[in-house]
Amino acid sequence: MTIGVLKETGTENRVAILPAEVVAMKKMGIDVLVETNAGERAFATDSDFIAAGANIAERIEVISGSEMLLSINPPLEDDINTFKEGQVLCSVLSPVENSSWLEKARLRGLTVLALDLIPRTTRAQSMDILSSMATVSGYKAVLEAASLLPRFFPMFMSAAGTIKPSRVLILGAGVAGLQAIAIARKLGAIVEVFDVRSAVKEEVKSLGGKFIEVEGAKEDSAAGGYAVEQTEDFKRKQQELIQQRAIASDVVIATAQIPGRKAPVLLLNETVYSMKPGSVIIDLAASTGGNCELTQYRKNIVVNGVNIIGKSDYPSDMSSDASKMFGCNVINLLKILVDKEARLVLNMQDDIINGTTATHGGEYISQRVRQMLNIK
Ligand code: NAD
């Protein structure tokens, strides 16, 4: 089998695999065709890919010469007509955002594997692209906050006096939030954390964060370890407590999300107006509406002297290591998709493959995609 690697379009700097992953694919008996300059912005040259065993070709040849195509973002909607029926596309899909893209791909008879739909199970952990990219975002969010903040993160005792450590408030202790706690603590800040899942309490403490509990959080074991929508009474209590802690903070890293829904609003307008000028809010939930009422997706704004960062493409900023992690996750997925003769075998009895296959043979397959798109 030949797998093609497409060059990303727009402002994306990552590439789906780096040369080291080409070596791994060659060992699996897979030939790799990489689009010219695909790795350029992740600091992997065409020569690096060739040295690892890949062939380089123009986009049109990569598309026509590959059984399966890999990319980080789905190829442009206009590209769909250039794909052949039965061809496999593998990328991070965001099915709701790209529903018309997906419908076009289904009608074209393409098999679409959505990497963001890989089940969050123990067996699929090594393929979990969402976790890898959230790790990058949590790390980079803290560094961005530290560089924007007009204060030190750590405590300083010097001849010029003592400087108090900064206070960082983390909203949501999922993968990005836990990484943000670890990095903010390493930089010497005092860290306080809110989450609605009691399971994260011990993890927060073990990373050196203070978990602030709001009584009455709703949890649902059927939600697969994810958060669920809270009651109005809980939301009000939580917003009040967050307001108190935000006023005392220098930085807020907001990561709270509820799968398939709008992000919960945790930082109200009045909270931002009561925060110290010079403070920084990094809203990693911006793409799903934001945890702060004032966040503007992909924009950096200043309100009452508070920086509100609605950027969400930190993995693209960390193109080298983010591509490395992405590629490793892809290789681990290929290990269950490809047989010993290097043939692609889509075993729909496998929960990972079934859950990840958005469309195949003109049908919507994944139950989660069907739910998200309201398909009976
Ligand atoms: P996410 O991005 O959906 O949410 C981030 C965090 O926000 C979560 O911890 C959530 O509880 C929290 N949150 C939601 N609403 C909130 C509110 N109103 N107030 C405060 N916090 C709120 O989550 P994620 O980082 O993708 O993962 C969440 C969990 O999923 C993990 O901690 C883990 O239990 C599970 N998970 C499992 C695997 C695996 O086994 N392969 C991989 C990744 C995640």
Side-chain angles (χ1 to χ4, degrees), residues 119-126 128 130-131 134 171-178 194-197 199-200 203 224-228 230 234-235 238 242 255-259 264-266 291:
R120 313 296 289 272
T121 56
T122 307
R123 187 173 151 249
Q125 223 159 7
S126 64
D128 189 347
L130 290 183
S131 286
L171 304 178
V175 182
L178 289 173
F194 279 87
D195 202 302
V196 286
R197 292 181 301 122
V200 293
E203 279 179 276
Y226 285 113
V228 291
Q230 300 297 312
F234 177 88
K235 284 186 200 170
Q238 191 192 29
I242 287 177
T255 77
Q257 310 234 37
I258 304 168
V265 175
L266 305 176
N291 291 149

Side-chain angles (χ1 to χ4, degrees), residues 5 12 16 18 23 26 46 51 54-55 66 92 160 178 184 190 211 253 260 273 277 293 298-299 319 360 365-366:
V5 181
E12 179 62 69
L18 288 173
V23 174
K26 294 291 289 182
D46 288 352
N55 289 310
S66 309
V92 177
L178 289 173
I190 296 171
F211 189 81
I253 311 273
Y273 276 92
E293 244 180 354
R298 294 199 166 121
K299 289 208 176 130
S319 61
H360 177 64
I365 305 292
S366 156

Side-chain angles (χ1 to χ4, degrees), residues 103-309:
E103 175 63 2
K104 212 168 164 183
R106 181 186 73 83
L107 293 171
R108 185 93 189 144
L110 303 176
T111 297
V112 175
L113 302 181
L115 296 169
D116 43 337
L117 292 177
I118 289 177
R120 313 296 289 272
T121 56
T122 307
R123 187 173 151 249
Q125 223 159 7
S126 64
M127 312 162 198
D128 189 347
I129 272 154
L130 290 183
S131 286
S132 310
M133 297 304 113
T135 301
V136 177
S137 295
Y139 166 85
K140 196 71 176 175
V142 175
L143 297 192
E144 170 131 31
S147 77
L148 287 169
L149 190 72
R151 303 199 50 221
F152 285 111
F153 259 45
M155 183 174 92
F156 266 113
M157 289 166 86
S158 75
T162 300
I163 303 234
K164 283 192 203 156
S166 290
R167 301 186 78 95
V168 175
L169 180 64
I170 312 265
L171 304 178
V175 182
L178 289 173
Q179 182 65 17
I181 299 169
I183 302 298
R185 289 289 301 141
K186 278 184 189 157
L187 289 178
I190 296 171
V191 179
E192 293 184 325
V193 184
F194 279 87
D195 202 302
V196 286
R197 292 181 301 122
S198 52
V200 293
K201 204 162 147 183
E202 289 310 314
E203 279 179 276
V204 169
K205 280 194 204 159
S206 71
L207 288 169
K210 181 179 174 200
F211 189 81
I212 303 182
E213 201 145 10
V214 184
E215 275 175 27
K218 212 166 86 185
E219 298 192 52
D220 183 356
S221 54
Y226 285 113
V228 291
E229 186 77 32
Q230 300 297 312
T231 62
E232 289 308 314
D233 183 46
F234 177 88
K235 284 186 200 170
R236 207 175 35 254
K237 272 198 291 190
Q238 191 192 29
Q239 281 165 346
E240 278 169 20
L241 208 49
I242 287 177
Q243 165 139 349
Q244 283 176 23
R245 303 320 309 150
I247 293 169
S249 304
D250 302 287
V251 168
V252 181
I253 311 273
T255 77
Q257 310 234 37
I258 304 168
R261 305 188 79 121
K262 198 179 165 298
V265 175
L266 305 176
L267 287 168
L268 300 174
N269 206 335
E270 61 254 37
T271 307
V272 176
Y273 276 92
S274 58
M275 286 173 70
K276 286 178 279 192
S279 308
V280 181
I281 298 170
I282 310 268
D283 198 339
L284 291 180
S287 66
T288 50
N291 291 149
C292 172
E293 244 180 354
L294 295 169
T295 298
Q296 290 182 29
Y297 182 37
R298 294 199 166 121
K299 289 208 176 130
N300 297 352
I301 57 169
V302 182
V303 177
N304 188 40
V306 178
N307 279 288
I308 306 174
I309 311 300

